[in-house]
Amino acid sequence: MACIASPADAPGGARRVVLFDFDGVLVRGDSFTRFMRARYASAWPRAIPLLLAAPLLGLAATTRRGRRALERGLVHWGLRGLDERAYHARAHAFGRSLADDARNLQRAAFTALRRHRHAGDRVVVVTGCEHVLARAILDHLGLHDVELVASRFAHGGGGPRIACRNVGREKLRQLAALGIEPTWDVAYSDSLVDLPMLGGAAEAVLVNVETAGFERARAVLGERVRRVDWW
């Protein structure tokens, strides 16, 4: 299943292309993790088997493959029983609540995003956050026309399951499906996991990273990368 919503998300043109990561750049923290914590808190009995299995889950988390399987399992278990309509309703409500609290937003990031839009740039938010939740936050902030490439669920028997995890090099594949190929003009991220996306930019901007992380990025990206502190 593709991460991209529809061709309507991909207007053409020869404008400058500017990519924004979402969590840690536009919003503070991990939006979907917060959603899942709230979900488990509201349905706490389903957390009991996880507590009992904690030693085995911890062992699984020691490998990359195990962490991915664990992530998928925790998401499916936490959302088990929700059909697509119910999930959308909960994600929309939670997204609106996050957007309503200014403490969850990086004001300087939204100032930069709006500056790019005012200049006529093509702004695309490219995130590992789930699409419905990220879209709800952007829409509630009045950014309905900002393009979004995000992780997506498949809906079926038993509840939502992760169908597309839009992280790392997957972001490049999903951008290519929108007709966006390197080199794009600017890319903003707070994580070295996004080095593939940052590496495709003429100008790479790391947001709120520590000195060690910035030096690692500069060793790969050279003088194309700069650092900003947004609070």
Side-chain angles (χ1 to χ4, degrees), residues 61-89:
T62 59
T63 67
R64 183 178 180 183
R65 179 175 295 182
R67 286 191 297 273
R68 289 187 176 180
L70 180 60
E71 176 189 8
R72 291 176 182 272
L74 289 173
V75 168
H76 182 61
W77 181 252
L79 300 179
R80 188 168 60 94
L82 291 182
D83 61 19
E84 186 170 3
R85 178 178 295 182
Y87 171 72
H88 279 225

Side-chain angles (χ1 to χ4, degrees), residues 5-33:
S6 71
D9 285 338
R15 296 172 291 166
R16 281 166 39 94
V17 174
V18 179
L19 309 180
F20 279 85
D21 188 20
F22 187 68
D23 293 318
V25 176
L26 294 172
V27 299
R28 303 180 192 277
D30 187 310
S31 304
F32 188 73
T33 296

Side-chain angles (χ1 to χ4, degrees), residues 178-202:
L178 279 178
I180 301 175
E181 301 276 2
T183 300
W184 33 81
D185 295 277
V186 190
Y188 296 88
S189 177
D190 72 318
S191 173
L192 297 190
V193 173
D194 275 333
L195 277 176
M197 184 177 80
L198 294 167

